[in-house]
Amino acid sequence: MNFVIPDFYPAAAELFVAAMSFVILLVGTFKQSARHFVYTLTQITLVGAAAITWQTMDGQVNFTFSNMYVDDLMGDVLKLMLYLSVAAVLVYSRGYMHDRKMETTEYYLLAIYATLGMMVMISANHFLTIYLGLELLSLALYAMVALERDSARATEAAMKYFVLGALASGLLLYGISMIYGATGTLEISNVAQAIYHQAGNRTVLMFGLVFVVAGLAFKLGVVPFHMWIPDVYQGAPAAITLFIASAPKLAAFAMAMRLLVNGLFELAEQWQSMLMFLAVLSIVLGNLAAIAQTNVKRMLGYSGISHMGFMLLGLMSGVVGGDRHFALNAYSSSMFYVIAYVLMSLASFGVILLMSRAGFEAEALDDFKGLNKRSSWFAGVMAMVMFSMAGIPFFIGFFAKFSVLQAVVAAGYIWLAILAVIMSLIGAFYYLRVVKIMYFDEPADNTPIGATLDMRVLLSLNGLAIAVLGLLPQSLMTWCAYSLLGSL
Amino acid sequence: MTGIPFLSLAIWVPIVGGLLALATGSDRNASVARFVALFFALAGLAVSIPLYTGFDVSTSAMQFVEAYQWIPRFNINYVLGVDGISVLFVLLNSFITVIVVVAGWEVIQEKVSQYMAGFLIMSGLINGIFSALDGVLFYVFFEASLIPLFIIIGVWGGPNRVYAAIKFFLYTLAGSLLMLVALLYLFMESGGSFSILDWHQLRLGMDAQTLIFWAFLASFAVKVPMFPVHTWLPDAHVEAPTGGSIVLAAIGLKLGAYGFLRFSLPIAPDASQAFAPMMITLSLIAVIYIGFVALVQTDMKKLVAYSSISHMGFVTLGFFIFNPLGVEGALVQMISHGFVSGAMFACIGVLYDRMHSRQIADYGGVVNVMPKFAALFMLFSMANSGLPATSGFVGEFMVALGAVQYNFWIGFAAATTLIVGAAYTLWMYKRVVFGAITNHHVSELTDINNREFVFLAILAVCVLVMGIYPYPITEVMHASVNDLLKHVFVSKL
């Protein structure tokens, strides 16, 4: 048996992030006082990773580590978005964590490990690699939720997240083992080949598929695997909620693409009907439950459930009666949707963090009262995000919904499109309520909004991105479609 | 395409002006915001005028066409153009924007920059609606124009403004979301085109046409508003600030009616004909029943709001009897209603600014203290009740004539509006303006100042000129209306 040195080039960014994590760990341990330095190092890591990914982005599909790992354009685009969103999370959350004495090395370190986990998920070409990445992400997230050690609520949220998350990982692993049993391989492209050649026992395969979809649904947070979302969103410190509500959605999308589209494409008809079920339930329940919420974080949690349901609508429109013409159109609409959602989610939680200060959590809806009088600019940003989430043009959320609906109609599910728009209408109500509270009500307290300059600038840019990409969505749409070409 | 892109200018000049007004920030710079707004409103009007003067009345083709790629991924293009049906509304809208800015000049003292910006941005978006020739572009303008009005009603409105604003928003959104599905369906059926003009040529089966007709109906009927989905309008009108009411009545209601002409009739002609009896019935209910509802109102704004619904019933009636007289009359009625209802709301605004009451019972004898105002208000009330030589008469007469051609009894029923309309408008006028002064607040009223006189007088001139010599308006729409009707009578089955 000869030892082959693998090609590290396709995984250069991951290796860089892993190496930097050790540096951060060492610096953090030996220079206890240097929070600022640790923060800067973390951001440098993300920028460096972005530079490496950008440099190695060649449009080719490169495999490495005995085909367990793949570097393709879809992965690169998602990773770039991932760095951007983690970097934004860190900028937004820094003041918040500092005020609450949680701006520790551990926070940054966990963020970096979570990022690494997501990168592995995005680039996995093997069921086990996906699982490894997922666990790295999840374990980091569990710990992050529990960072606020003295808070009973946060601990409860972390416990709930951990138990349910472990269950979901178990389901996923069980599904993977069945797929292995049916096909005799775990490498994604080989699984696809094996199923194409009718290898294995269909019943076992279907069972495996069901478990895989269930595990995936948990990670996406779609009904009926959504139970953790409201509690974790509400219980975790707002900065951590921001983290959970943004970047991991990108990774979960990548996971869905790798598992379902790259691996189990031959079973598309089967998983599409499962996704349709999940999507319908999520859109209905997410929107209806969000109406009743008075806590913004919880409300955004339910709204996130419905958004992920919308995203699944795109994934389930790819194959119609064995015809795969629609696949690229449908999957790229989902990818566009998830990127748009991450942008909106970042901005919405960003505003929550902006309004929180030491000893005060801006998480009740009423805390937003009269924001227009206190800061008309950030009220404007939040209003844009809300209109965007409701799917009103000219904001990115409209074109996200538009492209997904287009895919749904093209696949012939007119009734589903009508259901989705009716639920969007219900959704519009609670988004409007936020706008109403900010603009029509008198402020309850007049504490000036204090935030660092970098946060103000980034949040403003984030809001502008939602508007500008809403006016000119073409480039991002093309990127999504183009990057998926190689992976189909 | 000749030189200057007037349509783009008519859209973007007000929007840029609105953003600039917004940038003036807090109320310390209120007067700057006002002048910026006035300047850009006038500029918006100035760039709209060439659309009329340079309009070729001999053709029904789209004019001033501009076409650029916008989102090639879905074949969505930035295509603008106007024909005889839409050009007048761009003009009307730009004109009303100036009136609104002037009408809100001193009245609005809080967050002036946001108020002015809201109206300017809305003006640009509405010009976009009337000139978009791409389905998605239309939809985007159509939806986006909800946001400014939502904010305007909610921030500067009356005591029940939150309810009214949210009701307004959700009602209209409900309709337009179904339209979105119809647009996507048409995109698919047409093999990947969002061009409205392509859709006009698209052959569709009866089932498809029926679905499309209903989806568009959901959107436009709410916007018009037609009976029975009209209930948001009185709420929105009553709670909106004067400027909001003016724009809503003068322009907002025309969007739905315009949608029928641009989408429903030409894209689904067979379904339109099949459902014409239903549409005519609903229109007649709006004309007659809502007319009686207006009669019993005690709130002036509500009364005018119901009268708007009744007048818009005339418009939809005119469309669905499918003869040139009816459609042209309906279009004239739309323009005229833009002036008249705008002026009525402006007059009520003038009273409200002084008395802070819209109740008819609180007034009486206004003529004694505000003679100039009473004279102008009289003219607009007459126009609202359709007196000959005012603009209100022309449209109603043409539609009634068209309806009689179609069916005598329909024409007869429609013509009763001339009686009911006169009854509710003039009775209100009598109770507010004439009689002895019973409320001592009324005796302290001051007559309109120069600013108010100017914008009311301009509206009065428009009402009179249009009533006496409507030819410049009907001339513009003639070719396009004939072409449209030709379309409607060619079956697509």
Side-chain angles (χ1 to χ4, degrees), chain B residues 181-200:
Chain B
V181 179
L183 295 182
L184 289 168
Y185 181 78
L186 283 166
F187 174 70
M188 200 179 66
E189 285 293 306
S190 62
S193 167
F194 274 114
S195 158
I196 296 172
L197 297 180
D198 286 355
W199 291 346
H200 287 185

PDB file of all heavy atoms in Angstrom, chain B residues 181-200:
ATOM      1  N   VAL B 181     -48.931  35.579  -9.681  1.00  0.00           N
ATOM      2  CA  VAL B 181     -49.012  34.206 -10.178  1.00  0.00           C
ATOM      3  C   VAL B 181     -49.473  34.215 -11.629  1.00  0.00           C
ATOM      4  O   VAL B 181     -48.947  33.469 -12.468  1.00  0.00           O
ATOM      5  CB  VAL B 181     -49.954  33.368  -9.295  1.00  0.00           C
ATOM      6  CG1 VAL B 181     -50.062  31.963  -9.831  1.00  0.00           C
ATOM      7  CG2 VAL B 181     -49.454  33.343  -7.868  1.00  0.00           C
ATOM      8  N   ALA B 182     -50.442  35.084 -11.942  1.00  0.00           N
ATOM      9  CA  ALA B 182     -50.914  35.168 -13.329  1.00  0.00           C
ATOM     10  C   ALA B 182     -49.789  35.607 -14.253  1.00  0.00           C
ATOM     11  O   ALA B 182     -49.638  35.084 -15.364  1.00  0.00           O
ATOM     12  CB  ALA B 182     -52.092  36.136 -13.421  1.00  0.00           C
ATOM     13  N   LEU B 183     -48.987  36.556 -13.796  1.00  0.00           N
ATOM     14  CA  LEU B 183     -47.876  37.015 -14.634  1.00  0.00           C
ATOM     15  C   LEU B 183     -46.905  35.862 -14.898  1.00  0.00           C
ATOM     16  O   LEU B 183     -46.431  35.678 -16.018  1.00  0.00           O
ATOM     17  CB  LEU B 183     -47.122  38.160 -13.945  1.00  0.00           C
ATOM     18  CG  LEU B 183     -47.870  39.467 -13.715  1.00  0.00           C
ATOM     19  CD1 LEU B 183     -46.962  40.487 -13.067  1.00  0.00           C
ATOM     20  CD2 LEU B 183     -48.402  40.024 -15.017  1.00  0.00           C
ATOM     21  N   LEU B 184     -46.629  35.089 -13.843  1.00  0.00           N
ATOM     22  CA  LEU B 184     -45.700  33.972 -14.019  1.00  0.00           C
ATOM     23  C   LEU B 184     -46.296  32.917 -14.964  1.00  0.00           C
ATOM     24  O   LEU B 184     -45.581  32.310 -15.769  1.00  0.00           O
ATOM     25  CB  LEU B 184     -45.380  33.343 -12.665  1.00  0.00           C
ATOM     26  CG  LEU B 184     -44.506  34.214 -11.767  1.00  0.00           C
ATOM     27  CD1 LEU B 184     -44.458  33.673 -10.358  1.00  0.00           C
ATOM     28  CD2 LEU B 184     -43.108  34.309 -12.333  1.00  0.00           C
ATOM     29  N   TYR B 185     -47.596  32.733 -14.848  1.00  0.00           N
ATOM     30  CA  TYR B 185     -48.254  31.776 -15.738  1.00  0.00           C
ATOM     31  C   TYR B 185     -48.156  32.247 -17.186  1.00  0.00           C
ATOM     32  O   TYR B 185     -47.835  31.475 -18.093  1.00  0.00           O
ATOM     33  CB  TYR B 185     -49.717  31.631 -15.316  1.00  0.00           C
ATOM     34  CG  TYR B 185     -50.488  30.657 -16.157  1.00  0.00           C
ATOM     35  CD1 TYR B 185     -50.348  29.292 -15.957  1.00  0.00           C
ATOM     36  CD2 TYR B 185     -51.335  31.105 -17.159  1.00  0.00           C
ATOM     37  CE1 TYR B 185     -51.047  28.396 -16.736  1.00  0.00           C
ATOM     38  CE2 TYR B 185     -52.035  30.214 -17.942  1.00  0.00           C
ATOM     39  CZ  TYR B 185     -51.888  28.861 -17.728  1.00  0.00           C
ATOM     40  OH  TYR B 185     -52.572  27.971 -18.508  1.00  0.00           O
ATOM     41  N   LEU B 186     -48.397  33.536 -17.407  1.00  0.00           N
ATOM     42  CA  LEU B 186     -48.298  34.077 -18.759  1.00  0.00           C
ATOM     43  C   LEU B 186     -46.873  33.971 -19.284  1.00  0.00           C
ATOM     44  O   LEU B 186     -46.651  33.713 -20.467  1.00  0.00           O
ATOM     45  CB  LEU B 186     -48.758  35.534 -18.774  1.00  0.00           C
ATOM     46  CG  LEU B 186     -50.265  35.737 -18.739  1.00  0.00           C
ATOM     47  CD1 LEU B 186     -50.605  37.172 -18.411  1.00  0.00           C
ATOM     48  CD2 LEU B 186     -50.859  35.362 -20.091  1.00  0.00           C
ATOM     49  N   PHE B 187     -45.925  34.163 -18.392  1.00  0.00           N
ATOM     50  CA  PHE B 187     -44.521  34.033 -18.766  1.00  0.00           C
ATOM     51  C   PHE B 187     -44.260  32.637 -19.321  1.00  0.00           C
ATOM     52  O   PHE B 187     -43.609  32.463 -20.345  1.00  0.00           O
ATOM     53  CB  PHE B 187     -43.662  34.297 -17.520  1.00  0.00           C
ATOM     54  CG  PHE B 187     -42.189  34.063 -17.697  1.00  0.00           C
ATOM     55  CD1 PHE B 187     -41.429  34.898 -18.483  1.00  0.00           C
ATOM     56  CD2 PHE B 187     -41.567  33.019 -17.031  1.00  0.00           C
ATOM     57  CE1 PHE B 187     -40.060  34.688 -18.624  1.00  0.00           C
ATOM     58  CE2 PHE B 187     -40.206  32.814 -17.165  1.00  0.00           C
ATOM     59  CZ  PHE B 187     -39.459  33.645 -17.968  1.00  0.00           C
ATOM     60  N   MET B 188     -44.818  31.662 -18.623  1.00  0.00           N
ATOM     61  CA  MET B 188     -44.610  30.289 -19.038  1.00  0.00           C
ATOM     62  C   MET B 188     -45.337  29.999 -20.345  1.00  0.00           C
ATOM     63  O   MET B 188     -44.774  29.424 -21.274  1.00  0.00           O
ATOM     64  CB  MET B 188     -45.115  29.377 -17.934  1.00  0.00           C
ATOM     65  CG  MET B 188     -44.581  27.995 -17.969  1.00  0.00           C
ATOM     66  SD  MET B 188     -45.248  27.076 -16.583  1.00  0.00           S
ATOM     67  CE  MET B 188     -46.981  27.004 -17.000  1.00  0.00           C
ATOM     68  N   GLU B 189     -46.592  30.435 -20.422  1.00  0.00           N
ATOM     69  CA  GLU B 189     -47.401  30.152 -21.608  1.00  0.00           C
ATOM     70  C   GLU B 189     -46.830  30.820 -22.857  1.00  0.00           C
ATOM     71  O   GLU B 189     -46.940  30.298 -23.960  1.00  0.00           O
ATOM     72  CB  GLU B 189     -48.837  30.646 -21.402  1.00  0.00           C
ATOM     73  CG  GLU B 189     -49.654  29.767 -20.492  1.00  0.00           C
ATOM     74  CD  GLU B 189     -49.925  28.405 -21.114  1.00  0.00           C
ATOM     75  OE1 GLU B 189     -50.442  28.366 -22.239  1.00  0.00           O
ATOM     76  OE2 GLU B 189     -49.607  27.381 -20.466  1.00  0.00           O
ATOM     77  N   SER B 190     -46.249  31.998 -22.671  1.00  0.00           N
ATOM     78  CA  SER B 190     -45.749  32.723 -23.835  1.00  0.00           C
ATOM     79  C   SER B 190     -44.339  32.269 -24.199  1.00  0.00           C
ATOM     80  O   SER B 190     -43.692  32.881 -25.034  1.00  0.00           O
ATOM     81  CB  SER B 190     -45.755  34.226 -23.553  1.00  0.00           C
ATOM     82  OG  SER B 190     -44.887  34.499 -22.480  1.00  0.00           O
ATOM     83  N   GLY B 191     -43.868  31.234 -23.561  1.00  0.00           N
ATOM     84  CA  GLY B 191     -42.541  30.734 -23.888  1.00  0.00           C
ATOM     85  C   GLY B 191     -41.441  31.651 -23.417  1.00  0.00           C
ATOM     86  O   GLY B 191     -40.402  31.780 -24.059  1.00  0.00           O
ATOM     87  N   GLY B 192     -41.643  32.315 -22.297  1.00  0.00           N
ATOM     88  CA  GLY B 192     -40.563  33.075 -21.699  1.00  0.00           C
ATOM     89  C   GLY B 192     -40.531  34.533 -22.081  1.00  0.00           C
ATOM     90  O   GLY B 192     -39.471  35.067 -22.410  1.00  0.00           O
ATOM     91  N   SER B 193     -41.697  35.170 -22.048  1.00  0.00           N
ATOM     92  CA  SER B 193     -41.696  36.605 -22.322  1.00  0.00           C
ATOM     93  C   SER B 193     -42.536  37.307 -21.265  1.00  0.00           C
ATOM     94  O   SER B 193     -43.595  36.819 -20.873  1.00  0.00           O
ATOM     95  CB  SER B 193     -42.278  36.885 -23.694  1.00  0.00           C
ATOM     96  OG  SER B 193     -42.538  38.266 -23.810  1.00  0.00           O
ATOM     97  N   PHE B 194     -42.043  38.436 -20.801  1.00  0.00           N
ATOM     98  CA  PHE B 194     -42.828  39.242 -19.881  1.00  0.00           C
ATOM     99  C   PHE B 194     -43.385  40.481 -20.575  1.00  0.00           C
ATOM    100  O   PHE B 194     -43.909  41.372 -19.918  1.00  0.00           O
ATOM    101  CB  PHE B 194     -41.997  39.659 -18.668  1.00  0.00           C
ATOM    102  CG  PHE B 194     -41.985  38.649 -17.564  1.00  0.00           C
ATOM    103  CD1 PHE B 194     -40.830  37.989 -17.210  1.00  0.00           C
ATOM    104  CD2 PHE B 194     -43.152  38.357 -16.873  1.00  0.00           C
ATOM    105  CE1 PHE B 194     -40.822  37.060 -16.186  1.00  0.00           C
ATOM    106  CE2 PHE B 194     -43.159  37.429 -15.847  1.00  0.00           C
ATOM    107  CZ  PHE B 194     -41.986  36.776 -15.509  1.00  0.00           C
ATOM    108  N   SER B 195     -43.236  40.541 -21.889  1.00  0.00           N
ATOM    109  CA  SER B 195     -43.695  41.734 -22.595  1.00  0.00           C
ATOM    110  C   SER B 195     -45.214  41.763 -22.661  1.00  0.00           C
ATOM    111  O   SER B 195     -45.855  40.820 -23.125  1.00  0.00           O
ATOM    112  CB  SER B 195     -43.115  41.742 -24.005  1.00  0.00           C
ATOM    113  OG  SER B 195     -43.911  42.564 -24.807  1.00  0.00           O
ATOM    114  N   ILE B 196     -45.789  42.858 -22.186  1.00  0.00           N
ATOM    115  CA  ILE B 196     -47.248  42.957 -22.181  1.00  0.00           C
ATOM    116  C   ILE B 196     -47.784  42.918 -23.612  1.00  0.00           C
ATOM    117  O   ILE B 196     -48.819  42.315 -23.894  1.00  0.00           O
ATOM    118  CB  ILE B 196     -47.678  44.251 -21.456  1.00  0.00           C
ATOM    119  CG1 ILE B 196     -47.251  44.193 -19.995  1.00  0.00           C
ATOM    120  CG2 ILE B 196     -49.180  44.444 -21.541  1.00  0.00           C
ATOM    121  CD1 ILE B 196     -47.457  45.481 -19.245  1.00  0.00           C
ATOM    122  N   LEU B 197     -47.061  43.524 -24.524  1.00  0.00           N
ATOM    123  CA  LEU B 197     -47.549  43.551 -25.904  1.00  0.00           C
ATOM    124  C   LEU B 197     -47.504  42.162 -26.534  1.00  0.00           C
ATOM    125  O   LEU B 197     -48.369  41.820 -27.347  1.00  0.00           O
ATOM    126  CB  LEU B 197     -46.726  44.543 -26.727  1.00  0.00           C
ATOM    127  CG  LEU B 197     -46.842  45.991 -26.243  1.00  0.00           C
ATOM    128  CD1 LEU B 197     -46.006  46.917 -27.103  1.00  0.00           C
ATOM    129  CD2 LEU B 197     -48.286  46.462 -26.213  1.00  0.00           C
ATOM    130  N   ASP B 198     -46.525  41.347 -26.139  1.00  0.00           N
ATOM    131  CA  ASP B 198     -46.528  39.961 -26.619  1.00  0.00           C
ATOM    132  C   ASP B 198     -47.739  39.218 -26.083  1.00  0.00           C
ATOM    133  O   ASP B 198     -48.351  38.420 -26.789  1.00  0.00           O
ATOM    134  CB  ASP B 198     -45.257  39.225 -26.142  1.00  0.00           C
ATOM    135  CG  ASP B 198     -44.032  39.669 -26.912  1.00  0.00           C
ATOM    136  OD1 ASP B 198     -44.202  40.460 -27.852  1.00  0.00           O
ATOM    137  OD2 ASP B 198     -42.921  39.236 -26.559  1.00  0.00           O
ATOM    138  N   TRP B 199     -48.044  39.487 -24.836  1.00  0.00           N
ATOM    139  CA  TRP B 199     -49.180  38.797 -24.231  1.00  0.00           C
ATOM    140  C   TRP B 199     -50.487  39.164 -24.927  1.00  0.00           C
ATOM    141  O   TRP B 199     -51.403  38.358 -24.984  1.00  0.00           O
ATOM    142  CB  TRP B 199     -49.280  39.143 -22.741  1.00  0.00           C
ATOM    143  CG  TRP B 199     -48.168  38.569 -21.918  1.00  0.00           C
ATOM    144  CD1 TRP B 199     -47.292  37.597 -22.317  1.00  0.00           C
ATOM    145  CD2 TRP B 199     -47.805  38.905 -20.580  1.00  0.00           C
ATOM    146  NE1 TRP B 199     -46.418  37.329 -21.298  1.00  0.00           N
ATOM    147  CE2 TRP B 199     -46.706  38.112 -20.224  1.00  0.00           C
ATOM    148  CE3 TRP B 199     -48.315  39.798 -19.640  1.00  0.00           C
ATOM    149  CZ2 TRP B 199     -46.099  38.185 -18.982  1.00  0.00           C
ATOM    150  CZ3 TRP B 199     -47.715  39.871 -18.393  1.00  0.00           C
ATOM    151  CH2 TRP B 199     -46.617  39.074 -18.076  1.00  0.00           C
ATOM    152  N   HIS B 200     -50.553  40.385 -25.442  1.00  0.00           N
ATOM    153  CA  HIS B 200     -51.770  40.771 -26.158  1.00  0.00           C
ATOM    154  C   HIS B 200     -52.016  39.854 -27.353  1.00  0.00           C
ATOM    155  O   HIS B 200     -53.154  39.625 -27.739  1.00  0.00           O
ATOM    156  CB  HIS B 200     -51.660  42.223 -26.654  1.00  0.00           C
ATOM    157  CG  HIS B 200     -51.787  43.232 -25.552  1.00  0.00           C
ATOM    158  ND1 HIS B 200     -51.811  44.578 -25.772  1.00  0.00           N
ATOM    159  CD2 HIS B 200     -51.895  43.091 -24.216  1.00  0.00           C
ATOM    160  CE1 HIS B 200     -51.927  45.222 -24.621  1.00  0.00           C
ATOM    161  NE2 HIS B 200     -51.973  44.333 -23.669  1.00  0.00           N
TER     162      HIS B 200
END
